Short mmCIF file of all heavy atoms in Angstrom, two decimals:
data_model
loop_
_atom_site.label_atom_id
_atom_site.label_comp_id
_atom_site.label_asym_id
_atom_site.label_seq_id
_atom_site.Cartn_x
_atom_site.Cartn_y
_atom_site.Cartn_z
N MET A 1 110.10 -134.27 24.35
CA MET A 1 110.93 -134.76 25.46
C MET A 1 110.97 -133.71 26.59
O MET A 1 111.00 -134.15 27.69
CB MET A 1 112.28 -135.22 24.91
CG MET A 1 112.98 -136.28 25.53
SD MET A 1 114.67 -136.37 24.94
CE MET A 1 114.53 -137.97 24.24
N ALA A 2 111.13 -132.52 26.36
CA ALA A 2 111.25 -131.52 27.43
C ALA A 2 110.01 -131.52 28.17
O ALA A 2 110.01 -131.09 29.33
CB ALA A 2 111.59 -130.22 26.78
N ASP A 3 108.79 -131.75 27.61
CA ASP A 3 107.53 -131.66 28.27
C ASP A 3 107.43 -132.58 29.42
O ASP A 3 106.74 -132.29 30.41
CB ASP A 3 106.42 -131.77 27.33
CG ASP A 3 106.29 -130.74 26.32
OD1 ASP A 3 106.95 -129.58 26.56
OD2 ASP A 3 105.61 -130.89 25.26
N LYS A 4 108.11 -133.69 29.36
CA LYS A 4 108.08 -134.70 30.52
C LYS A 4 108.62 -134.09 31.76
O LYS A 4 108.22 -134.41 32.78
CB LYS A 4 108.82 -136.02 30.08
CG LYS A 4 108.06 -136.79 29.04
CD LYS A 4 108.69 -138.12 28.88
CE LYS A 4 107.88 -139.02 27.86
NZ LYS A 4 108.60 -140.29 27.62
N LYS A 5 109.78 -133.50 31.63
CA LYS A 5 110.39 -132.93 32.77
C LYS A 5 109.74 -131.74 33.44
O LYS A 5 109.83 -131.57 34.66
CB LYS A 5 111.93 -132.47 32.36
CG LYS A 5 112.81 -133.61 32.09
CD LYS A 5 114.19 -133.11 31.80
CE LYS A 5 115.05 -134.44 31.60
NZ LYS A 5 116.42 -134.01 31.39
N SER A 6 109.03 -130.98 32.66
CA SER A 6 108.32 -129.85 33.15
C SER A 6 106.92 -130.29 33.56
O SER A 6 106.22 -130.95 32.58
CB SER A 6 108.29 -128.65 32.33
OG SER A 6 107.75 -128.85 31.13
N GLY A 7 106.48 -130.05 34.66
CA GLY A 7 105.04 -130.51 35.03
C GLY A 7 104.81 -130.48 36.47
O GLY A 7 105.47 -129.67 37.28
N ALA A 8 103.82 -131.11 36.98
CA ALA A 8 103.57 -131.13 38.36
C ALA A 8 104.69 -131.72 39.26
O ALA A 8 104.84 -131.36 40.41
CB ALA A 8 102.23 -131.95 38.56
N LYS A 9 105.44 -132.55 38.61
CA LYS A 9 106.54 -133.24 39.45
C LYS A 9 107.83 -132.39 39.26
O LYS A 9 108.97 -132.87 39.63
CB LYS A 9 106.79 -134.60 38.95
CG LYS A 9 105.55 -135.51 39.18
CD LYS A 9 105.96 -136.90 38.75
CE LYS A 9 104.79 -137.86 39.00
NZ LYS A 9 105.06 -139.12 38.49
N GLY A 10 107.82 -131.22 38.86
CA GLY A 10 108.93 -130.21 38.76
C GLY A 10 109.40 -129.57 39.94
O GLY A 10 110.00 -128.54 39.82
N ALA A 11 109.20 -130.17 41.19
CA ALA A 11 109.66 -129.47 42.38
C ALA A 11 111.05 -129.51 42.46
O ALA A 11 111.81 -130.46 42.03
CB ALA A 11 109.12 -130.25 43.60
N THR A 12 111.71 -128.48 42.91
CA THR A 12 113.06 -128.22 43.04
C THR A 12 113.47 -127.90 44.51
O THR A 12 112.74 -127.43 45.20
CB THR A 12 113.70 -127.11 42.04
OG1 THR A 12 113.04 -125.95 42.46
CG2 THR A 12 113.28 -127.54 40.60
N VAL A 13 114.80 -128.03 44.69
CA VAL A 13 115.30 -127.61 46.02
C VAL A 13 116.67 -127.00 45.78
O VAL A 13 117.38 -127.44 44.84
CB VAL A 13 115.45 -128.77 47.01
CG1 VAL A 13 116.37 -129.88 46.47
CG2 VAL A 13 116.01 -128.37 48.36
N THR A 14 116.92 -125.85 46.36
CA THR A 14 118.21 -125.11 46.17
C THR A 14 118.97 -125.25 47.46
O THR A 14 118.60 -125.03 48.53
CB THR A 14 117.91 -123.53 45.87
OG1 THR A 14 117.03 -123.47 44.74
CG2 THR A 14 119.19 -122.84 45.67
N VAL A 15 120.26 -125.73 47.23
CA VAL A 15 121.14 -125.83 48.31
C VAL A 15 122.43 -125.00 48.09
O VAL A 15 122.88 -124.71 46.99
CB VAL A 15 121.60 -127.34 48.48
CG1 VAL A 15 120.39 -128.23 48.91
CG2 VAL A 15 122.21 -127.88 47.32
N GLU A 16 123.12 -124.65 49.27
CA GLU A 16 124.27 -123.86 49.16
C GLU A 16 125.24 -124.51 50.11
O GLU A 16 125.00 -124.91 51.21
CB GLU A 16 124.05 -122.39 49.63
CG GLU A 16 125.40 -121.55 49.76
CD GLU A 16 125.11 -120.13 50.14
OE1 GLU A 16 123.98 -119.90 50.59
OE2 GLU A 16 126.06 -119.43 50.09
N GLN A 17 126.51 -124.62 49.69
CA GLN A 17 127.53 -125.24 50.44
C GLN A 17 128.08 -124.12 51.47
O GLN A 17 128.45 -123.04 51.02
CB GLN A 17 128.74 -125.76 49.56
CG GLN A 17 129.75 -126.46 50.43
CD GLN A 17 130.91 -126.99 49.60
OE1 GLN A 17 130.66 -127.20 48.34
NE2 GLN A 17 132.05 -127.26 50.13
N THR A 18 127.92 -124.45 52.82
CA THR A 18 128.35 -123.56 53.82
C THR A 18 129.58 -124.08 54.59
O THR A 18 130.16 -123.30 55.29
CB THR A 18 127.23 -123.18 54.71
OG1 THR A 18 126.79 -124.50 55.29
CG2 THR A 18 126.12 -122.56 54.02
N GLY A 19 129.90 -125.36 54.40
CA GLY A 19 131.01 -125.90 55.13
C GLY A 19 132.06 -126.43 54.20
O GLY A 19 131.87 -126.82 53.11
N SER A 20 133.27 -126.43 54.68
CA SER A 20 134.42 -126.88 53.91
C SER A 20 134.63 -128.43 53.94
O SER A 20 134.28 -129.08 54.96
CB SER A 20 135.77 -126.39 54.55
OG SER A 20 136.83 -126.80 53.86
N PRO A 21 134.84 -129.02 52.73
CA PRO A 21 135.04 -130.48 52.78
C PRO A 21 136.45 -130.94 53.13
O PRO A 21 136.76 -132.06 53.24
CB PRO A 21 134.93 -130.75 51.19
CG PRO A 21 135.27 -129.50 50.53
CD PRO A 21 134.87 -128.41 51.52
N LEU A 22 137.32 -130.00 53.53
CA LEU A 22 138.57 -130.35 54.10
C LEU A 22 138.40 -131.14 55.41
O LEU A 22 137.64 -130.81 56.30
CB LEU A 22 139.42 -129.06 54.33
CG LEU A 22 139.86 -128.31 53.02
CD1 LEU A 22 140.66 -127.04 53.53
CD2 LEU A 22 140.71 -129.05 52.09
N ARG A 23 139.29 -132.13 55.47
CA ARG A 23 139.31 -133.04 56.71
C ARG A 23 137.93 -133.71 56.90
O ARG A 23 137.59 -134.03 58.08
CB ARG A 23 139.77 -132.23 57.91
CG ARG A 23 141.17 -131.81 57.84
CD ARG A 23 141.73 -130.89 58.96
NE ARG A 23 140.93 -131.09 60.16
CZ ARG A 23 141.25 -130.44 61.34
NH1 ARG A 23 142.24 -129.65 61.31
NH2 ARG A 23 140.51 -130.73 62.44
N ARG A 24 137.22 -133.92 55.92
CA ARG A 24 135.97 -134.69 55.98
C ARG A 24 136.19 -136.04 55.24
O ARG A 24 137.14 -136.20 54.42
CB ARG A 24 134.87 -133.99 55.13
CG ARG A 24 134.61 -132.70 55.67
CD ARG A 24 133.86 -132.73 57.12
NE ARG A 24 133.66 -131.39 57.53
CZ ARG A 24 133.14 -131.09 58.79
NH1 ARG A 24 132.81 -132.09 59.63
NH2 ARG A 24 133.01 -129.85 59.05
N PRO A 25 135.47 -137.11 55.63
CA PRO A 25 135.59 -138.40 54.92
C PRO A 25 135.28 -138.38 53.49
O PRO A 25 134.61 -137.36 52.99
CB PRO A 25 134.48 -139.33 55.71
CG PRO A 25 134.22 -138.65 56.97
CD PRO A 25 134.45 -137.14 56.67
N ALA A 26 136.02 -139.22 52.76
CA ALA A 26 135.80 -139.17 51.33
C ALA A 26 134.46 -139.35 50.85
O ALA A 26 134.06 -138.74 49.80
CB ALA A 26 136.84 -140.32 50.78
N ASP A 27 133.73 -140.13 51.53
CA ASP A 27 132.32 -140.25 51.09
C ASP A 27 131.47 -139.01 51.22
O ASP A 27 130.62 -138.79 50.40
CB ASP A 27 131.60 -141.42 51.85
CG ASP A 27 131.48 -141.16 53.30
OD1 ASP A 27 132.25 -140.53 53.91
OD2 ASP A 27 130.48 -141.69 53.92
N GLN A 28 131.74 -138.07 52.11
CA GLN A 28 131.11 -136.90 52.22
C GLN A 28 131.52 -135.90 51.20
O GLN A 28 130.72 -135.24 50.54
CB GLN A 28 131.36 -136.22 53.60
CG GLN A 28 130.64 -137.00 54.86
CD GLN A 28 130.93 -136.34 56.05
OE1 GLN A 28 131.51 -135.20 56.27
NE2 GLN A 28 130.47 -136.89 57.18
N ARG A 29 132.81 -135.99 50.82
CA ARG A 29 133.29 -135.24 49.60
C ARG A 29 132.60 -135.60 48.35
O ARG A 29 132.17 -134.76 47.55
CB ARG A 29 134.85 -135.30 49.55
CG ARG A 29 135.52 -134.55 50.52
CD ARG A 29 136.99 -134.50 50.25
NE ARG A 29 137.79 -134.46 51.43
CZ ARG A 29 138.78 -135.21 51.69
NH1 ARG A 29 139.31 -135.95 50.76
NH2 ARG A 29 139.49 -135.13 52.87
N ALA A 30 132.53 -136.84 48.19
CA ALA A 30 131.88 -137.44 47.00
C ALA A 30 130.39 -137.08 46.94
O ALA A 30 129.88 -136.83 45.89
CB ALA A 30 132.03 -138.93 46.96
N THR A 31 129.79 -137.02 48.11
CA THR A 31 128.34 -136.61 48.12
C THR A 31 128.18 -135.13 47.70
O THR A 31 127.23 -134.88 46.95
CB THR A 31 127.70 -136.76 49.51
OG1 THR A 31 127.84 -138.19 49.82
CG2 THR A 31 126.29 -136.45 49.63
N LEU A 32 129.01 -134.26 48.13
CA LEU A 32 129.10 -132.96 47.72
C LEU A 32 129.32 -132.78 46.18
O LEU A 32 128.59 -131.95 45.56
CB LEU A 32 130.12 -132.14 48.43
CG LEU A 32 129.90 -131.71 49.89
CD1 LEU A 32 131.08 -131.09 50.58
CD2 LEU A 32 128.71 -130.84 50.07
N VAL A 33 130.17 -133.51 45.64
CA VAL A 33 130.39 -133.49 44.28
C VAL A 33 129.10 -134.05 43.55
O VAL A 33 128.77 -133.44 42.54
CB VAL A 33 131.64 -134.35 43.87
CG1 VAL A 33 131.77 -134.43 42.30
CG2 VAL A 33 132.94 -133.63 44.36
N GLY A 34 128.51 -134.98 44.06
CA GLY A 34 127.34 -135.62 43.50
C GLY A 34 126.13 -134.51 43.45
O GLY A 34 125.29 -134.51 42.55
N LEU A 35 126.16 -133.72 44.43
CA LEU A 35 125.15 -132.61 44.50
C LEU A 35 125.63 -131.41 43.56
O LEU A 35 124.89 -130.43 43.44
CB LEU A 35 125.02 -132.10 45.96
CG LEU A 35 124.27 -133.07 46.91
CD1 LEU A 35 124.35 -132.48 48.32
CD2 LEU A 35 122.85 -133.14 46.49
N GLY A 36 126.76 -131.45 43.01
CA GLY A 36 127.23 -130.40 42.15
C GLY A 36 127.87 -129.22 43.00
O GLY A 36 128.06 -128.08 42.50
N LEU A 37 128.30 -129.63 44.22
CA LEU A 37 128.91 -128.55 45.00
C LEU A 37 130.36 -129.08 45.38
O LEU A 37 130.49 -130.19 45.75
CB LEU A 37 128.14 -128.38 46.36
CG LEU A 37 126.73 -128.12 46.33
CD1 LEU A 37 126.07 -128.22 47.67
CD2 LEU A 37 126.53 -126.58 45.83
N ASN A 38 131.31 -128.15 45.12
CA ASN A 38 132.63 -128.58 45.52
C ASN A 38 133.49 -127.35 46.01
O ASN A 38 134.73 -127.49 46.30
CB ASN A 38 133.41 -129.25 44.28
CG ASN A 38 133.51 -128.29 43.08
OD1 ASN A 38 132.92 -127.30 43.09
ND2 ASN A 38 134.24 -128.77 42.07
N LYS A 39 132.90 -126.18 46.02
CA LYS A 39 133.56 -125.04 46.45
C LYS A 39 132.61 -124.20 47.47
O LYS A 39 131.34 -124.32 47.20
CB LYS A 39 134.07 -124.10 45.38
CG LYS A 39 135.17 -124.72 44.55
CD LYS A 39 135.72 -123.81 43.57
CE LYS A 39 136.75 -124.31 42.75
NZ LYS A 39 137.26 -123.44 41.74
N MET A 40 133.10 -123.57 48.32
CA MET A 40 132.35 -122.90 49.38
C MET A 40 131.29 -121.86 48.71
O MET A 40 131.70 -121.15 47.62
CB MET A 40 133.10 -122.09 50.33
CG MET A 40 133.99 -122.96 51.22
SD MET A 40 133.08 -123.84 52.49
CE MET A 40 132.60 -122.42 53.45
N HIS A 41 130.22 -121.71 49.27
CA HIS A 41 129.10 -120.71 48.73
C HIS A 41 128.60 -120.83 47.43
O HIS A 41 128.02 -120.01 46.80
CB HIS A 41 129.69 -119.19 48.98
CG HIS A 41 130.17 -119.01 50.40
ND1 HIS A 41 129.24 -119.05 51.50
CD2 HIS A 41 131.31 -118.94 50.85
CE1 HIS A 41 129.99 -118.95 52.61
NE2 HIS A 41 131.24 -118.80 52.26
N ARG A 42 128.81 -122.11 46.87
CA ARG A 42 128.14 -122.44 45.52
C ARG A 42 126.75 -122.80 45.75
O ARG A 42 126.48 -123.56 46.71
CB ARG A 42 128.87 -123.50 44.83
CG ARG A 42 130.21 -123.07 44.32
CD ARG A 42 130.54 -123.72 42.96
NE ARG A 42 131.70 -123.10 42.43
CZ ARG A 42 132.41 -123.71 41.53
NH1 ARG A 42 132.08 -124.95 41.14
NH2 ARG A 42 133.58 -123.07 41.05
N ARG A 43 125.98 -122.44 44.96
CA ARG A 43 124.43 -122.86 44.98
C ARG A 43 124.04 -123.75 43.77
O ARG A 43 124.48 -123.45 42.60
CB ARG A 43 123.52 -121.59 45.02
CG ARG A 43 123.67 -120.80 46.29
CD ARG A 43 122.73 -119.74 46.33
NE ARG A 43 122.77 -119.00 47.56
CZ ARG A 43 121.95 -117.99 47.91
NH1 ARG A 43 120.96 -117.77 47.14
NH2 ARG A 43 122.10 -117.42 49.00
N ARG A 44 123.26 -124.65 44.09
CA ARG A 44 122.72 -125.49 43.01
C ARG A 44 121.17 -125.75 43.19
O ARG A 44 120.71 -125.90 44.38
CB ARG A 44 123.36 -126.86 42.96
CG ARG A 44 124.77 -126.75 42.57
CD ARG A 44 124.98 -126.59 41.00
NE ARG A 44 126.38 -126.53 40.74
CZ ARG A 44 127.03 -125.54 40.37
NH1 ARG A 44 126.49 -124.26 40.63
NH2 ARG A 44 128.27 -125.56 40.05
N THR A 45 120.58 -125.66 42.04
CA THR A 45 118.98 -125.94 42.17
C THR A 45 118.88 -127.37 41.59
O THR A 45 119.25 -127.66 40.44
CB THR A 45 118.17 -124.93 41.32
OG1 THR A 45 118.45 -123.63 41.85
CG2 THR A 45 116.71 -125.26 41.48
N LEU A 46 118.37 -128.30 42.38
CA LEU A 46 118.21 -129.71 42.00
C LEU A 46 116.80 -130.15 42.06
O LEU A 46 115.99 -129.58 42.70
CB LEU A 46 119.05 -130.52 42.99
CG LEU A 46 120.53 -130.13 43.27
CD1 LEU A 46 121.20 -130.73 44.47
CD2 LEU A 46 121.34 -130.42 42.00
N GLU A 47 116.59 -131.18 41.39
CA GLU A 47 115.27 -131.92 41.39
C GLU A 47 114.96 -132.40 42.88
O GLU A 47 115.92 -132.93 43.52
CB GLU A 47 115.16 -133.01 40.56
CG GLU A 47 114.30 -132.85 39.24
CD GLU A 47 114.27 -134.02 38.36
OE1 GLU A 47 113.31 -134.79 38.71
OE2 GLU A 47 115.04 -134.28 37.59
N ASP A 48 113.79 -132.23 43.43
CA ASP A 48 113.54 -132.53 44.72
C ASP A 48 112.99 -134.09 44.69
O ASP A 48 111.78 -134.36 44.55
CB ASP A 48 112.40 -131.68 45.36
CG ASP A 48 112.19 -131.91 46.86
OD1 ASP A 48 113.03 -132.65 47.42
OD2 ASP A 48 111.30 -131.29 47.34
N THR A 49 114.00 -135.02 44.89
CA THR A 49 113.72 -136.46 44.84
C THR A 49 114.20 -137.07 46.14
O THR A 49 114.97 -136.37 46.79
CB THR A 49 114.47 -137.14 43.59
OG1 THR A 49 115.87 -137.00 43.82
CG2 THR A 49 114.06 -136.47 42.31
N PRO A 50 113.72 -138.14 46.48
CA PRO A 50 114.24 -138.83 47.68
C PRO A 50 115.67 -139.09 47.70
O PRO A 50 116.31 -138.90 48.77
CB PRO A 50 113.48 -140.22 47.79
CG PRO A 50 112.29 -139.97 46.99
CD PRO A 50 112.67 -139.02 45.85
N ALA A 51 116.33 -139.33 46.53
CA ALA A 51 117.79 -139.53 46.51
C ALA A 51 118.49 -138.30 46.76
O ALA A 51 119.47 -138.32 47.59
CB ALA A 51 118.13 -140.07 45.05
N VAL A 52 118.01 -137.17 46.22
CA VAL A 52 118.67 -135.86 46.53
C VAL A 52 118.48 -135.46 47.95
O VAL A 52 119.44 -135.02 48.59
CB VAL A 52 118.18 -134.80 45.64
CG1 VAL A 52 118.65 -133.42 46.03
CG2 VAL A 52 118.60 -135.04 44.10
N ARG A 53 117.37 -135.69 48.54
CA ARG A 53 117.03 -135.37 49.96
C ARG A 53 118.03 -136.22 50.91
O ARG A 53 118.48 -135.83 51.89
CB ARG A 53 115.63 -135.63 50.30
CG ARG A 53 114.64 -134.55 49.73
CD ARG A 53 114.85 -133.34 50.44
NE ARG A 53 113.95 -132.34 50.02
CZ ARG A 53 113.81 -131.12 50.55
NH1 ARG A 53 114.46 -130.78 51.67
NH2 ARG A 53 113.00 -130.21 50.07
N GLY A 54 118.15 -137.44 50.49
CA GLY A 54 119.11 -138.24 51.23
C GLY A 54 120.58 -137.85 51.20
O GLY A 54 121.22 -137.89 52.20
N MET A 55 120.99 -137.32 50.04
CA MET A 55 122.31 -136.77 49.88
C MET A 55 122.49 -135.45 50.74
O MET A 55 123.44 -135.35 51.37
CB MET A 55 122.72 -136.47 48.44
CG MET A 55 122.73 -137.73 47.69
SD MET A 55 122.92 -137.39 45.82
CE MET A 55 124.49 -136.86 45.65
N ILE A 56 121.40 -134.71 50.77
CA ILE A 56 121.44 -133.43 51.56
C ILE A 56 121.47 -133.80 52.99
O ILE A 56 122.23 -133.15 53.84
CB ILE A 56 120.14 -132.56 51.23
CG1 ILE A 56 120.40 -132.02 49.76
CG2 ILE A 56 120.18 -131.46 52.34
CD1 ILE A 56 119.06 -131.41 49.27
N ALA A 57 120.72 -134.80 53.50
CA ALA A 57 120.70 -135.24 54.92
C ALA A 57 122.10 -135.77 55.25
O ALA A 57 122.49 -135.53 56.44
CB ALA A 57 119.65 -136.31 55.04
N LYS A 58 122.78 -136.38 54.31
CA LYS A 58 124.13 -136.99 54.74
C LYS A 58 125.18 -135.91 55.04
O LYS A 58 126.05 -136.13 55.68
CB LYS A 58 124.63 -137.92 53.48
CG LYS A 58 125.86 -138.61 53.84
CD LYS A 58 126.23 -139.66 52.65
CE LYS A 58 127.50 -140.42 53.09
NZ LYS A 58 127.74 -141.36 52.04
N VAL A 59 125.08 -134.77 54.29
CA VAL A 59 126.03 -133.61 54.50
C VAL A 59 125.29 -132.46 55.05
O VAL A 59 125.65 -131.32 54.63
CB VAL A 59 126.75 -133.52 53.11
CG1 VAL A 59 127.68 -134.48 52.73
CG2 VAL A 59 125.81 -133.13 51.97
N SER A 60 124.26 -132.65 55.79
CA SER A 60 123.47 -131.53 56.24
C SER A 60 124.28 -130.58 57.08
O SER A 60 123.94 -129.33 57.20
CB SER A 60 122.34 -131.95 57.06
OG SER A 60 122.79 -132.63 58.25
N HIS A 61 125.45 -130.87 57.65
CA HIS A 61 126.25 -130.01 58.43
C HIS A 61 127.27 -129.21 57.42
O HIS A 61 127.93 -128.34 57.92
CB HIS A 61 127.13 -130.90 59.42
CG HIS A 61 127.94 -131.90 58.69
ND1 HIS A 61 127.37 -133.10 58.20
CD2 HIS A 61 129.28 -132.08 58.53
CE1 HIS A 61 128.37 -133.83 57.72
NE2 HIS A 61 129.53 -133.20 57.83
N LEU A 62 127.24 -129.52 56.10
CA LEU A 62 128.06 -128.79 55.19
C LEU A 62 127.25 -128.02 54.21
O LEU A 62 127.81 -127.17 53.49
CB LEU A 62 128.86 -129.88 54.48
CG LEU A 62 129.83 -130.66 55.21
CD1 LEU A 62 130.57 -131.66 54.24
CD2 LEU A 62 130.90 -129.78 55.99
N VAL A 63 125.92 -128.23 54.22
CA VAL A 63 125.07 -127.38 53.26
C VAL A 63 123.90 -126.81 53.91
O VAL A 63 123.51 -127.17 55.10
CB VAL A 63 124.49 -128.43 52.16
CG1 VAL A 63 125.67 -128.93 51.32
CG2 VAL A 63 123.65 -129.51 52.76
N THR A 64 123.25 -125.78 53.31
CA THR A 64 122.13 -125.12 53.79
C THR A 64 121.09 -125.09 52.65
O THR A 64 121.41 -124.96 51.54
CB THR A 64 122.38 -123.65 54.10
OG1 THR A 64 123.41 -123.69 55.19
CG2 THR A 64 121.11 -123.03 54.72
N VAL A 65 119.86 -125.53 53.01
CA VAL A 65 118.73 -125.52 52.10
C VAL A 65 118.25 -124.19 52.01
O VAL A 65 117.68 -123.54 52.97
CB VAL A 65 117.59 -126.51 52.56
CG1 VAL A 65 116.39 -126.41 51.56
CG2 VAL A 65 118.13 -127.94 52.51
N ILE A 66 118.35 -123.52 50.80
CA ILE A 66 117.95 -122.13 50.55
C ILE A 66 116.51 -122.00 50.21
O ILE A 66 115.78 -121.20 50.77
CB ILE A 66 118.79 -121.49 49.51
CG1 ILE A 66 120.24 -121.57 49.70
CG2 ILE A 66 118.44 -120.02 49.17
CD1 ILE A 66 120.76 -120.84 50.98
N ASP A 67 116.01 -122.87 49.37
CA ASP A 67 114.66 -122.76 48.88
C ASP A 67 114.08 -124.20 48.66
O ASP A 67 114.72 -125.01 47.95
CB ASP A 67 114.67 -121.86 47.59
CG ASP A 67 113.35 -121.67 47.11
OD1 ASP A 67 112.44 -121.58 47.86
OD2 ASP A 67 113.24 -121.39 45.84
N ASP A 68 112.89 -124.32 49.09
CA ASP A 68 112.05 -125.52 48.81
C ASP A 68 110.93 -125.18 47.87
O ASP A 68 109.74 -124.91 48.32
CB ASP A 68 111.51 -126.16 50.02
CG ASP A 68 112.49 -126.98 50.94
OD1 ASP A 68 113.48 -127.44 50.28
OD2 ASP A 68 112.36 -126.87 52.15
N ALA A 69 111.22 -125.07 46.68
CA ALA A 69 110.16 -124.64 45.61
C ALA A 69 109.39 -125.65 45.15
O ALA A 69 109.94 -126.73 44.72
CB ALA A 69 110.76 -123.72 44.48
#
């Protein structure tokens, strides 16, 4: 089962939260939580999928892409 996840499609993207979710719309806060970010300067390494890229684009003013591996 673990072999399916590791392979050529194992591209990842690392994001860091750089903006505060205070005084932001609820949907932007929910997007940060969906990315695994809810406090400043936290980093998460996520699978590089179109859904994750869309979430990053939605809150691009609150996050920074650290690494496109």
Side-chain angles (χ1 to χ4, degrees):
M1 211 187 243
D3 292 340
K4 286 185 178 181
K5 290 186 178 182
S6 63
K9 296 182 181 180
T12 60
V13 60
T14 302
V15 293
E16 178 180 8
Q17 183 176 342
T18 55
S20 174
L22 294 177
R23 295 176 23 179
R24 302 289 178 182
D27 62 329
Q28 290 181 6
R29 286 190 213 137
T31 302
L32 286 173
V33 171
L35 289 170
L37 304 169
N38 61 352
K39 293 185 181 178
M40 295 286 292
H41 306 292
R42 288 215 174 158
R43 290 184 181 189
R44 291 289 180 258
T45 301
L46 307 163
E47 256 187 83
D48 193 5
T49 63
V52 170
R53 286 291 179 171
M55 292 171 77
I56 291 170
K58 185 172 182 177
V59 291
S60 62
H61 56 290
L62 299 175
V63 299
T64 303
V65 176
I66 302 296
D67 187 26
D68 285 326

